[in-house]
Amino acid sequence: MEQKKITKGFWIKLVSAPILMFFFAYAMVPIYDVFCEITGFNGTTGRVDSEQQYAVDENRKVEVSFFAMTMGGFPVQFGPKVNSMEIVPGKFYTTSYVAKNNTDKTVIGQAIPSVAPTDAALYFKKLECFCFNRQVFKPHEEVEMTLRFVVEPELDKRIKDISLSYNFFKLES
Amino acid sequence: MTTATDTTATGHADHHHGPEKGLMRWIKTTNHKDIGTLYLWFAFTMVLIGGAMAMVIRMELFQPGLQLVDPHFFNQMTTMHGLIMVFGAIMPAFVGLGNWLIPMMVGAPDMALPRMNNWSFWILPFAGGILLSTFFMEGGAPAFGWTFYAPLSTTFAPDSTDFFIFAVHLLGFSSIMGAINIIATVLNMRAPEMKLMDMPLFVWTWLITSFLLIGAMPVLAGAVTMMLTDRNFGTAFFDATGGGDPVMFQHIFWFFGHPEVYIMILPAFGVVSHIIPTFARKPLFGYSSMVYATASIAFLSYIVWAHHMFLTGMPVAGELYFMYATMMIAVPTGVKVFNWIATMWKGSMTFETPMLWAISFVFLFTIGGFSGLMLGIAPADIQYHDTYFVVAHFHYVLVTGALWSIIAATFYWLPKWTGKMYNEGLAKVHFWWAVISVNVLFFPQHFLGLAGMPRRIPDYALQFADFNMISSIGGFAFGASFILFTYIIIDAIRNGEPATKRPWEGAKGLEWTLDPKAEYHSFNKPPSRKLIEQESQNS
């Protein structure tokens, strides 16, 4: 019997497998985003498009605390208007964050939200948020940015406290 | 010479020329045996370089306080020690063993793609050179740990990181080409009469490892490419400013990183599955279960990566999944350990040097496996994460696991590679020296880790002083054992007693039917069915 020859098809398979896996690494980027959105992994919050009706249990209370951070030399003062709220899951609430640009330049930034504990992230939904778009801060301008959110009643009963944190990043200035 | 090659000696006389003379033999060679030798010497050099870095680390940790090196240099040492040992020593050593042994074990004349084989080796010294050259650059060598997490490796890293990225690309290319070559060799060049389930376990484990390499190394290449574009071309894969996420780096890295740890241990399983039956003088217990266990481990290795990331903030469901999936790997691994012990059960055992290394592999690797299980428990990992317990764990699986099997293989197949026997008495002294010192080195690190000593820090609190000193003394002794190892190998090559065709009484495998020093070109005619059956492990 003779040695088998390496066929063209086999070659193509062998070489294309690593090439495919290389691009798979890049495919992990959008897969990761979708995965975080679906599972609330990494504290990614969700979005609702309208004021839906939820079954509300008026006796159930959850404390939501608001935090603010800035990264990478973001030159805008940024913080929540109220530090915490007591809320009822299933009801919509409005609060706001205040930002003041202390520089002489226009600053553009993007806020990235994160919720802890991560098991709460899936049920923390926002109707309106300044984090949906990039924000433009004119020189020495102070702005109030609103946030309208709901915590869905499906939230694990054991969770009594939720922290919502925004991290502002500079895009341009 | 085998009967198989004798009959064709006249017909293929032109194939029987020896190697070229001089340096060009090694540069131009396409012979699997020459390339295997090159790989092994390269890996050996890298072990010494990486080991020297480990000596610096242990010297600094000999006493509390900062004594010898400044913290930034210490960080460079830990980072480069890890990178050199993983990519420069263990992986090339296994590719070298694969090159030397696989064609002989499957009855093939050479690797399927000999020219590519030459390239995949000769990329390595350049990649290693680029990596080491970063020490002499402004800002020093990479100092962000061998896992190069973003943003440490992107926003906060020195310029030399771009050279590191290029070196990782080259190393990845080399490994992928090596893997393609091994798959092509095993599937296409195998003796026509050899069925898949006739193949020796070293060949099986390497075949499965090759698939892991093809799946995992390109993902690493992707990760470092993203780093490169983040650093230099304004992308933001791992930069939250632009909508990226640094945690995603860890996902991509460990999607490569976890299969990588099996890339470094599966061929070791193969080596041990050859040595133990030989010196127990019994066939390997559960050949097919060994094959299936290897394949299961390889599959599971792709779906457990996030157990390295329990502390990044994961939903409980995620922690539970990754914990149970990780635990599951203990099942096929347990099958293997059981089979090795069952092979020895009631065997006519003798304890030549390769067997000593193989038995201590089973014992010490299992300790490393158990500490791995402890780390896999999500709630316990909160305590163990990033402590010396992790360091102890992966050194037990990589030093007394992977490296142990490489040394065992060196003693076991050295007669076939060189035609000479090593000095058995000295080799036994070396074994006991190494096995005692390595435990003095790494065992106390378990205690240090459980007590909370963090890894990658050049200084420590006073209560860790005693165990660190013991560990360092073990480290220096283990480092010194390599001087004796080098002497034994060079002495065997220069002055060794001539070996016989089959120097180990119970050894099975086609490689033992060749000349005492394997012919430069072996198996020009494939071995017969009868010979394959005689030498099969699966009988």
Side-chain angles (χ1 to χ4, degrees):
Chain A
M1 279 166 85
E2 274 299 299
Q3 300 280 358
K4 282 165 270 184
K5 279 271 174 286
I6 302 174
T7 60
K8 208 174 160 194
F10 188 67
W11 252 116
I12 292 169
K13 272 186 223 158
L14 266 184
V15 175
S16 53
I19 295 171
L20 277 176
M21 285 309 291
F22 179 79
F23 289 108
F24 175 72
Y26 280 84
M28 279 166 88
V29 178
I31 291 171
Y32 180 72
D33 281 347
V34 173
F35 182 73
C36 288
E37 237 161 74
I38 295 173
T39 60
F41 202 79
N42 213 16
T44 311
T45 55
R47 229 176 133 157
V48 282
D49 297 325
S50 61
E51 296 219 4
Q52 291 161 254
Q53 290 298 316
Y54 294 98
V56 179
D57 175 5
E58 291 285 350
N59 294 322
R60 191 174 165 204
K61 297 273 192 280
V62 174
E63 181 96 359
V64 179
S65 307
F66 301 97
F67 296 92
M69 284 187 284
T70 54
M71 283 288 273
F74 188 66
V76 174
Q77 265 184 9
F78 168 62
K81 198 156 187 197
V82 289
N83 287 330
S84 69
M85 288 168 85
E86 195 168 69
I87 62 122
V88 174
K91 279 187 167 176
F92 280 85
Y93 292 87
T94 307
T95 183
S96 58
Y97 274 70
V98 182
K100 184 163 192 295
N101 181 359
N102 290 324
T103 66
D104 300 327
K105 285 188 208 155
T106 302
V107 177
I108 301 173
Q110 171 73 50
I112 308 279
S114 176
V115 165
T118 45
D119 292 322
L122 194 54
Y123 306 107
F124 198 102
K125 296 275 166 73
K126 281 169 289 187
L127 180 68
E128 196 187 324
C129 178
F130 53 91
C131 62
F132 292 165
N133 303 303
R134 51 169 58 184
Q135 297 291 321
V136 181
F137 304 102
K138 299 211 176 73
H140 300 287
E141 184 191 47
E142 185 169 330
V143 284
E144 200 173 313
M145 303 174 292
T146 49
L147 166 70
R148 189 157 173 77
F149 67 93
V150 62
V151 177
E152 291 176 323
E154 288 83 11
L155 177 77
D156 192 322
K157 292 263 189 300
R158 286 171 298 183
I159 298 176
K160 305 279 186 218
D161 295 282
I162 298 175
S163 304
L164 171 65
S165 145
Y166 283 99
N167 208 338
F168 243 111
F169 293 94
K170 183 164 75 174
L171 293 180
E172 287 165 47
S173 69
Chain B
M1 216 187 259
T2 62
T3 45
T5 41
D6 265 343
T7 48
T8 54
T10 43
H12 291 272
D14 53 334
H15 286 180
H16 277 249
H17 59 78
E20 230 181 295
K21 294 274 178 279
L23 186 66
M24 287 315 275
R25 163 184 176 184
W26 299 104
I27 291 172
K28 285 165 41 184
T29 185
T30 55
N31 179 286
H32 73 98
K33 297 182 177 88
D34 281 355
I35 292 173
T37 306
L38 286 170
Y39 264 111
L40 288 170
W41 279 114
F42 175 80
F44 184 70
T45 315
M46 284 294 164
V47 163
L48 298 184
I49 295 173
M53 293 173 188
M55 292 299 104
V56 174
I57 296 169
R58 281 322 318 173
M59 272 193 265
E60 178 56 52
L61 294 175
F62 188 70
Q63 286 187 322
L66 297 175
Q67 342 271 341
L68 291 169
V69 294
D70 75 301
H72 182 61
F73 189 71
F74 183 88
N75 290 345
Q76 295 176 34
M77 286 288 116
T78 53
T79 305
M80 292 294 275
H81 168 74
L83 291 168
I84 295 278
M85 288 305 198
V86 168
F87 295 108
I90 302 290
M91 289 172 70
F94 277 129
V95 181
L97 289 177
N99 256 296
W100 247 107
L101 297 170
I102 288 172
M104 298 198 297
M105 285 179 169
V106 299
D110 206 313
M111 297 293 277
L113 311 156
R115 180 64 65 192
M116 195 168 89
N117 207 8
N118 174 291
W119 292 344
S120 37
F121 173 75
W122 278 108
I123 285 177
L124 274 184
F126 294 97
I130 290 169
L131 195 55
L132 287 172
S133 72
T134 55
F135 272 115
F136 307 102
M137 291 176 190
E138 212 181 308
F144 33 66
W146 87 275
T147 50
F148 49 99
Y149 281 0
L152 267 183
S153 59
T154 50
T155 317
F156 303 105
D159 291 343
S160 68
T161 307
D162 293 330
F163 286 88
F164 151 81
I165 290 170
F166 188 55
V168 171
H169 272 138
L170 289 180
L171 291 163
F173 260 111
S174 163
S175 301
I176 292 167
M177 291 200 296
I180 288 178
N181 211 343
I182 284 172
I183 294 175
T185 306
V186 173
L187 296 184
N188 283 290
M189 300 281 285
R190 197 172 72 242
E193 299 283 359
M194 184 182 265
K195 300 192 192 85
L196 281 175
M197 287 311 256
D198 294 326
M199 294 195 315
L201 263 167
F202 182 72
V203 178
W204 258 117
T205 51
W206 239 119
L207 179 66
I208 292 166
T209 303
S210 304
F211 283 105
L212 286 182
L213 278 168
I214 283 192
M217 291 308 283
V219 176
L220 175 72
V224 292
T225 310
M226 289 180 208
M227 266 173 66
L228 187 77
T229 54
D230 267 19
R231 288 170 54 82
N232 300 304
F233 303 109
T235 60
F237 287 105
F238 309 129
D239 185 358
T241 322
D245 187 344
V247 175
M248 190 181 66
F249 175 85
Q250 298 186 25
H251 282 286
I252 299 176
F253 178 82
W254 285 113
F255 187 84
F256 145 79
H258 204 75
E260 167 71 12
V261 306
Y262 291 97
I263 287 167
M264 292 189 285
I265 203 65
L266 291 184
F269 292 166
V271 167
V272 170
S273 304
H274 281 249
I275 294 174
I276 289 180
T278 296
F279 296 100
R281 291 171 181 76
K282 271 178 66 194
L284 181 69
F285 184 89
Y287 169 91
S288 44
S289 70
M290 284 297 215
V291 173
Y292 296 129
T294 311
S296 325
I297 293 171
F299 170 74
L300 288 171
S301 76
Y302 275 113
I303 56 169
V304 297
W305 75 92
H307 65 212
H308 297 270
M309 306 167 51
F310 280 142
L311 268 78
T312 53
M314 215 190 285
V316 173
E319 297 207 349
L320 284 174
Y321 162 73
F322 282 111
M323 177 169 96
Y324 286 126
T326 304
M327 300 278 160
M328 217 147 71
I329 299 188
V331 177
T333 314
V335 168
K336 288 184 154 290
V337 174
F338 179 86
N339 285 351
W340 291 322
I341 294 170
T343 305
M344 290 188 269
W345 178 252
K346 291 189 173 173
S348 313
M349 298 215 315
T350 51
F351 299 93
E352 285 89 340
T353 309
M355 183 62 159
L356 291 175
W357 288 95
I359 294 175
S360 68
F361 167 94
V362 175
F363 185 72
L364 297 172
F365 172 78
T366 307
I367 291 179
F370 279 139
S371 57
L373 277 178
M374 289 170 72
L375 288 163
I377 303 169
D381 185 63
I382 295 166
Q383 163 77 5
Y384 305 153
H385 186 85
D386 251 346
T387 67
Y388 258 80
F389 192 78
V390 181
V391 177
H393 156 68
F394 67 69
H395 281 95
Y396 263 87
V397 288
L398 282 176
V399 177
T400 60
L403 182 66
W404 245 228
S405 81
I406 292 164
I407 298 177
T410 307
F411 284 117
Y412 185 64
W413 280 292
L414 193 72
K416 191 53 63 187
W417 298 339
T418 62
K420 308 274 182 63
M421 292 301 283
Y422 58 86
N423 182 331
E424 185 72 40
L426 265 186
K428 282 198 169 130
V429 171
H430 169 241
F431 166 76
W432 287 108
W433 182 353
V435 81
I436 292 168
S437 60
V438 89
N439 280 292
V440 175
L441 164 58
F442 293 122
F443 210 80
Q445 296 183 1
H446 288 113
F447 309 136
L448 287 170
L450 292 179
M453 179 174 160
R455 62 192 280 218
R456 293 175 169 152
I457 310 284
D459 191 6
Y460 48 82
L462 286 179
Q463 73 264 31
F464 303 131
D466 291 348
F467 277 135
N468 266 301
M469 192 176 278
I470 295 170
S471 179
S472 285
I473 291 168
F476 304 143
F478 183 58
S481 78
F482 279 82
I483 300 170
L484 184 56
F485 180 60
T486 314
Y487 173 78
I488 293 168
I489 299 301
I490 291 175
D491 177 57
I493 294 169
R494 289 215 176 138
N495 319 311
E497 298 286 321
T500 55
K501 260 173 132 174
R502 200 184 297 261
W504 316 116
E505 191 191 23
K508 269 189 166 188
L510 289 172
E511 73 271 26
W512 304 113
T513 64
L514 299 172
D515 282 357
K517 177 184 188 336
E519 304 90 311
Y520 196 58
H521 296 285
S522 42
F523 293 114
N524 282 319
K525 181 153 185 267
S528 65
R529 179 71 209 161
K530 196 171 150 235
L531 190 67
I532 290 169
E533 274 172 11
Q534 262 171 24
E535 299 295 341
S536 168
Q537 281 188 308
N538 186 13
S539 57

